[in-house]
Amino acid sequence: MTKKDEFDLQDFLPYLLNQAAEESSMAFQQVYKGRYGMLRTEWRVLFHLGNYGQMTAKEIGTRAKIHKTKISRAVRKLEQRRFLTRTKDEQDRRVEHLTLTSFGQAAYRDLHSVAQTYDQKLSALFPAAEAKMLRYMLRRLAGSE
Amino acid sequence: MTKKDEFDLQDFLPYLLNQAAEESSMAFQQVYKGRYGMLRTEWRVLFHLGNYGQMTAKEIGTRAKIHKTKISRAVRKLEQRRFLTRTKDEQDRRVEHLTLTSFGQAAYRDLHSVAQTYDQKLSALFPAAEAKMLRYMLRRLAGSE
DNA sequence: GGTTGTTAGTTACAAAATCAACTATTAGGT
DNA sequence: ACCTAATAGTTGATTTTGTAACTAACAACC
């Protein structure tokens, strides 16, 4: 309230992170939503499968910290729209392995290239060393290292 | 898919930003939810009013990039729970000025101090100069400078 | 080999976010 | 003054998320 209150909302890291995340994902959302009618979680699942290859729902959830119900619904939709297929694990039949169809892979490649371009555009806001530092700091804040 | 695919999901800025934002706001959510039963948008509105003083719904929405229906509902709840009051502008009667009650101010001060401590804890992950740089970069990514 | 505990994934119901349409008021042009 | 457009904020219908309870399969222990 007072002026000597040195802590401004604009300096609060969770707030800044949220604003930056929102801004950057909104721009990209238009692409996957517009071209493929995907929701955020669906896009994230697709990107994981495209990036890492065959995975289970659990693995995606753990790696991306997405709740399993969200994954479950995203997977169902992606399957219905022929982006991926499921195959039951032979050893452990609770587990399902998710694989992109060729259609899914094409969508991944398309979105991947847009993402890459967009990422370069964002990175270009800063000198290369700083952009690299930023990524490192974000990873630490996300708790993944 | 292949190994020479140099663009990893873990390097995609919107993804990293989202992960970091999610991680940091989840931790803080427990505080305002637990102590005051507030939702994310309510907390954000409260913080804006505490930080900048009297504002209109529109101003908060513009500054924080929150949709007006979210603000509208958050304001109603904060009013019902006596955190703030509304007064119609005399010149333009479409506009409502929002002000924290003393109860609202107390809640703000309480949460503010928790936020400040938490922010310091996050900042302490990095050398001071880098933490400062991080804030600057996030502000740029958020498009606010 | 049966009981208990755990894990992968789904489903049902409640809470919240989104989108479009709405009211009330002001602004601008003619 | 009158018609149209714009703005602040609200409401209702639909979509999406979150929470908890659930099924099915496996593991571990006695």
Side-chain angles (χ1 to χ4, degrees):
Chain A
M1 235 62 171
T2 66
K3 276 181 201 110
K4 70 184 287 294
D5 198 1
E6 350 148 355
F7 180 64
D8 190 303
L9 182 49
Q10 303 295 332
D11 289 329
F12 186 40
L13 271 176
Y15 179 80
L16 284 170
L17 285 165
N18 188 72
Q19 295 290 100
E22 207 53 33
E23 178 70 21
S24 71
S25 52
M26 279 324 242
F28 197 64
Q29 175 167 351
Q30 301 195 307
V31 182
Y32 57 76
K33 197 175 174 182
R35 293 193 191 176
Y36 301 97
M38 282 185 201
L39 258 28
R40 192 124 132 202
T41 310
E42 291 159 30
W43 142 250
R44 294 236 243 150
V45 168
L46 183 96
F47 212 170
H48 272 81
L49 293 174
N51 203 109
Y52 300 116
Q54 188 182 77
M55 292 180 87
T56 70
K58 185 72 209 297
E59 286 165 351
I60 298 175
T62 303
R63 198 185 284 256
K65 294 203 197 96
I66 303 175
H67 196 271
K68 58 183 181 173
T69 61
K70 268 168 119 175
I71 306 258
S72 175
R73 292 190 258 243
V75 166
R76 182 170 53 196
K77 231 174 208 164
L78 288 170
E79 187 192 29
Q80 283 169 353
R81 298 187 186 168
R82 316 288 175 203
F83 287 105
L84 60 79
T85 55
R86 327 187 194 205
T87 47
K88 280 218 183 290
D89 185 286
E90 280 307 313
Q91 271 65 50
D92 184 344
R93 276 176 329 205
R94 289 170 303 183
V95 175
E96 288 178 343
H97 298 283
L98 308 172
T99 322
L100 290 186
T101 61
S102 55
F103 177 58
Q105 285 184 32
Y108 168 71
R109 278 193 301 270
D110 177 33
L111 290 173
H112 174 275
S113 101
V114 178
Q116 193 161 12
T117 304
Y118 182 55
D119 191 79
Q120 281 161 3
K121 193 182 126 200
L122 290 180
S123 299
L125 289 169
F126 317 108
E130 289 175 17
K132 197 181 166 193
M133 171 74 79
L134 174 63
R135 285 184 170 75
Y136 164 71
M137 290 195 277
L138 292 174
R139 261 183 235 110
R140 284 204 65 185
L141 287 169
S144 49
E145 64 185 75
Chain B
M1 234 64 169
T2 66
K3 275 181 200 111
K4 69 184 290 291
D5 199 0
E6 352 150 350
F7 180 62
D8 191 301
L9 182 50
Q10 302 295 329
D11 289 329
F12 186 39
L13 270 177
Y15 179 80
L16 284 170
L17 285 164
N18 187 74
Q19 295 291 99
E22 206 54 32
E23 179 70 21
S24 71
S25 52
M26 280 323 245
F28 198 64
Q29 174 167 354
Q30 302 195 308
V31 182
Y32 58 74
K33 196 174 176 185
R35 293 193 191 176
Y36 299 98
M38 282 185 201
L39 258 28
R40 190 124 134 202
T41 310
E42 292 159 29
W43 141 250
R44 294 235 245 151
V45 167
L46 183 96
F47 212 170
H48 273 80
L49 293 173
N51 203 109
Y52 299 117
Q54 190 181 73
M55 292 179 88
T56 70
K58 185 72 209 295
E59 287 164 351
I60 297 175
T62 303
R63 198 185 283 257
K65 296 204 195 92
I66 303 175
H67 196 270
K68 58 182 181 173
T69 61
K70 266 165 119 176
I71 305 259
S72 175
R73 283 167 174 133
V75 166
R76 182 170 53 196
K77 234 177 205 162
L78 289 171
E79 188 192 28
Q80 284 169 353
R81 297 187 185 170
R82 315 290 176 202
F83 287 105
L84 61 78
T85 55
R86 326 187 194 207
T87 48
K88 279 216 183 293
D89 184 287
E90 280 307 313
Q91 271 65 50
D92 184 344
R93 276 176 330 206
R94 289 170 303 185
V95 175
E96 289 179 343
H97 298 283
L98 307 172
T99 323
L100 290 186
T101 60
S102 55
F103 176 58
Q105 285 184 33
Y108 169 71
R109 278 192 300 271
D110 177 33
L111 290 173
H112 173 275
S113 100
V114 178
Q116 193 161 13
T117 303
Y118 182 56
D119 192 81
Q120 281 160 4
K121 193 181 126 199
L122 289 180
S123 299
L125 289 170
F126 317 108
E130 288 175 18
K132 198 181 166 192
M133 170 73 79
L134 174 63
R135 285 184 170 76
Y136 164 72
M137 290 194 277
L138 292 174
R139 261 183 236 110
R140 286 204 64 184
L141 287 168
S144 51
E145 66 185 75

